[in-house]
Amino acid sequence: MGTKKDYSKYFTGTAPSLKEAKKRSKAAPQVITDAFEIPTDMIEAGKGKTFFIRTYGCQMNEHDEEVMAGIFEQMGYLRTEEMETADVVLLNTCAVRENAENKVFGVLGHLKALKRERPELLLGVCGCMTQEEEVINRILQKEQHVDFIFGTHNIHRLPQILRDALMNKELVVEVWSKEGDIIENLPKTRNGNLKAWVNIAYGCDKFCTYCIIPYTRGKERSRQPEDIINEVRELAAAGYQEVTLLGQNVNSYGKDLGTEYRFADLLADVQKIAIPRVRFTTSHPWDFTDEMVAVLASGGNLMPHVHLPVQAGSSSVLKLMGRQYNKDSYTELYNKIRTQIPGVAVTTDIIVGFPNETDEQFEETLALCKELKYDGAYTFIYSPREGTPAAKMVDNIAEETKKARLQRLNAVVNDHALTHNQAYLETVQYVLVEGTSQKNDAVLSGYTESLKLVNFEGPASLIGKIVPVKVTQVRTWSLYGEYAGE
Ligand code: 5AD
Ligand code: SF4
């Protein structure tokens, strides 16, 4: 065994630790309203300079990117979409599966050459991967061209960390392995002026046995209702047409607030705000209450789409995953949602190849999908995450078997997606028009209330509006139609 090198000189504070990150105390999270501040010597640090951010992973990360962009812009930096010419390059990473991590290490390799050409380039890594000590060690050993690293809990410290990196020839690492606070005074430069993300809760306490998120994002902590409501009101006043309430598990919103106020109450309050569309993601079936179903069923601006990750269709696998529901209780909830919320679309996440998943257990997942007929599903091959309980489980299933299972599952999922879309044929759907289609500039594109992608021909003046579209053709992943307005 080789001796472990001492990298402590690179760390501001202690080294990242998943073991520390796992701890949960009973203490209420702190709401801090003055943590973010740009030091006076950094106010003009970015004058005449550019930043580039590449984000991997979930919506939470996308929203973090908006915060980081806001911070860069307050220091005078301008955004660029060209990594090759940027003065600061920041990789905002995801740790949920190994292939997401591999992509980041691939880009870091590519950046080695760029850094050689332009040594003044500042290269940063942040996001969920940097909360993992294994990743930090690998960067310290093999990717010494990185200049600065920070984690998910100290985004507000970006100006100070950047200052350290500018003054320091050596790698700066500042990662906090703690439960996390709620920082309320962060700037945001939103990507777009129609749809906005609104954080309602951070972290996750579910500790599903395969999942790294409770370690990388800390303890479950809810923002104060009035902070969320004010943010949605401001977005509505600024002309936004849609908000998506974000949390690793929105359904457990409020449990840490010390009041009776829960996610159903928040939905009811946001329903009263004059913003045309409200969505939310993501929901754990465990905490999905009847009150939530009832408020969603009352409609208004609450859009009829529920993402309800099932993960597996075998109750014994669900038990090993630590999901706290079984096939029957999930089915009961699913049916309640389907029957009570008018026009609802239900999508899901499924993992195949959990350690030692047998053929019979996989067949149960397939059978459940055939029974429930989702509108769509994100399907994944299980990826062991160091530090999680499942990573220690023995797994004798061949990779080929897992790939074959994924293919069979996808065939079933796609089949149902198409069937659901066919039911939209000849109907008129309301579409929030976001812009032109990726494939054809002459075609407009947007989403229905139930979150189906629609492409249709119509004048560019419709962009930014919610308009009626008659569906004339359907495919597995999109609808095609014609403008049905005046
Ligand atoms: N391997 C594969 N998929 C995973 N997910 C979370 N952790 C893992 C893992 N270790 C999937 C789950 C989750 C989605 C965001 O990613 O399906 O719902
Ligand atoms: Fe991971 Fe489970 Fe939390 Fe979702 S609810 S983020 S799957 S631990």
Side-chain angles (χ1 to χ4, degrees):
M1 237 171 71
T3 43
K4 246 187 165 173
K5 264 192 168 169
D6 180 14
Y7 290 115
S8 53
K9 68 170 178 179
Y10 298 109
F11 301 129
T12 311
T14 49
S17 151
L18 287 183
K19 218 169 161 185
E20 277 302 309
K22 189 180 174 185
K23 292 183 182 163
R24 294 291 186 267
S25 72
K26 290 226 157 54
Q30 274 197 295
V31 181
I32 309 178
T33 52
D34 61 356
F36 169 69
E37 186 185 36
I38 300 191
T40 35
D41 56 343
M42 289 302 283
I43 288 175
E44 298 206 329
K47 229 176 159 186
K49 292 186 179 165
T50 56
F51 71 95
F52 169 93
I53 308 179
R54 179 169 294 165
T55 291
Y56 300 83
C58 67
Q59 293 93 339
M60 195 61 79
N61 254 21
E62 283 183 37
H63 190 39
D64 284 349
E65 173 187 308
E66 296 180 327
V67 171
M68 294 185 270
I71 299 177
F72 272 115
E73 286 170 12
Q74 287 206 355
M75 290 185 287
Y77 285 93
L78 285 179
R79 187 176 200 132
T80 172
E81 298 305 325
E82 280 176 41
M83 186 163 79
E84 268 64 28
T85 60
D87 294 290
V88 184
V89 170
L90 186 54
L91 304 181
N92 183 21
T93 63
C94 168
V96 86
R97 279 171 294 275
E98 193 185 358
N99 55 6
E101 298 203 345
N102 289 342
K103 274 189 213 156
V104 170
F105 281 113
V107 176
L108 280 179
H110 165 75
L111 282 163
K112 208 174 255 180
L114 194 63
K115 183 85 189 173
R116 223 175 283 135
E117 265 171 51
R118 292 200 294 121
E120 72 286 0
L121 161 73
L122 271 190
L123 172 57
V125 185
C126 64
C128 284
M129 272 171 77
T130 62
Q131 296 290 140
E132 302 176 291
E133 59 240 44
E134 222 191 343
V135 168
I136 299 291
N137 286 337
R138 180 163 164 189
I139 294 178
L140 289 169
Q141 280 164 16
K142 301 202 179 124
E143 316 285 350
Q144 281 265 350
H145 56 297
V146 171
D147 296 287
F148 65 103
I149 298 177
F150 60 98
T152 57
H153 296 304
N154 57 342
I155 292 174
H156 61 285
R157 296 254 315 145
L158 175 56
Q160 288 81 358
I161 295 164
L162 203 61
R163 178 174 61 184
D164 286 354
L166 281 165
M167 291 187 329
N168 207 331
K169 276 206 260 356
E170 286 189 335
L171 180 51
V172 175
V173 186
E174 185 180 306
V175 176
W176 299 353
S177 301
K178 59 176 215 164
E179 297 177 330
D181 303 311
I182 297 176
I183 317 258
E184 278 300 344
N185 70 329
L186 290 167
K188 295 171 195 108
T189 300
R190 298 192 186 265
N191 294 327
N193 53 12
L194 283 180
K195 304 201 296 184
W197 309 115
V198 175
N199 277 134
I200 66 162
Y202 302 94
C204 179
D205 288 347
K206 293 285 185 273
F207 287 101
C208 305
T209 57
Y210 52 82
C211 189
I212 195 73
I213 294 174
Y215 307 78
T216 62
R217 291 271 169 185
K219 172 170 151 160
E220 222 161 62
R221 46 209 199 277
S222 307
R223 286 179 75 197
Q224 293 296 322
E226 54 274 21
D227 289 332
I228 299 166
I229 290 163
N230 285 341
E231 188 172 339
V232 176
R233 283 209 183 106
E234 281 165 21
L235 289 162
Y240 281 83
Q241 300 294 301
E242 178 175 311
V243 292
T244 301
L245 308 177
L246 277 187
Q248 237 66 51
N249 174 19
V250 289
N251 312 35
S252 56
Y253 173 80
K255 286 184 177 174
D256 55 327
L257 288 174
T259 65
E260 296 291 298
Y261 195 89
R262 294 287 180 274
F263 188 52
D265 302 302
L266 182 66
L267 284 173
D269 278 341
V270 174
Q271 194 182 37
K272 292 181 205 129
I273 300 175
I275 187 141
R277 290 182 165 194
V278 177
R279 303 186 185 280
F280 58 94
T281 196
T282 191
S283 290
H284 192 304
W286 184 352
D287 300 309
F288 212 112
T289 62
D290 286 349
E291 289 78 13
M292 278 181 61
V293 179
V295 68
L296 290 170
S298 71
N301 60 3
L302 305 179
M303 292 294 103
H305 169 241
V306 177
H307 186 64
L308 195 70
V310 64
Q311 311 299 5
S314 147
S315 293
S316 49
V317 172
L318 287 168
K319 192 151 191 218
L320 287 175
M321 287 178 162
R323 293 289 290 178
Q324 307 285 340
Y325 56 82
N326 59 31
K327 183 163 60 177
D328 296 337
S329 60
Y330 181 92
T331 304
E332 197 185 318
L333 171 64
Y334 179 95
N335 289 334
K336 225 185 266 176
I337 291 170
R338 275 272 186 222
T339 53
Q340 293 184 21
I341 306 173
V344 76
V346 187
T347 53
T348 199
D349 290 343
I350 303 168
I351 298 175
V352 302
F354 189 75
N356 271 338
E357 179 191 57
T358 64
D359 280 334
E360 292 73 27
Q361 288 168 334
F362 171 68
E363 293 299 335
E364 282 187 81
T365 297
L366 216 51
L368 187 68
C369 281
K370 286 182 183 162
E371 181 189 334
L372 301 185
K373 298 186 175 59
Y374 291 103
D375 284 78
Y378 295 101
T379 56
F380 311 101
I381 291 181
Y382 165 72
S383 168
R385 304 285 64 214
E386 181 85 27
T388 62
K392 295 193 199 83
M393 295 178 191
V394 184
D395 182 15
N396 291 315
I397 310 295
E399 200 55 32
E400 289 314 307
T401 310
K402 295 182 182 181
K403 284 188 186 150
R405 285 179 187 168
L406 187 72
Q407 273 191 2
R408 282 184 65 204
L409 178 64
N410 285 344
V412 169
V413 165
N414 293 353
D415 196 29
H416 295 154
L418 184 61
T419 309
H420 277 286
N421 283 353
Q422 278 160 347
Y424 284 77
L425 265 175
E426 301 302 320
T427 65
V428 172
Q429 297 295 318
Y430 282 87
V431 175
L432 169 56
V433 189
E434 293 180 22
T436 51
S437 142
Q438 274 183 347
K439 291 189 194 133
N440 184 348
D441 265 357
V443 172
L444 299 176
S445 145
Y447 288 87
T448 65
E449 297 187 336
S450 56
L451 203 62
K452 306 273 179 192
L453 174 65
V454 184
N455 295 310
F456 68 104
E457 276 163 47
S461 58
L462 299 181
I463 293 172
K465 298 192 179 130
I466 295 172
V467 302
V469 175
K470 184 164 177 201
V471 180
T472 54
Q473 288 173 48
V474 300
R475 303 201 177 90
T476 303
W477 301 119
S478 63
L479 310 175
Y480 196 87
E482 51 200 39
Y483 178 51
E486 302 294 295

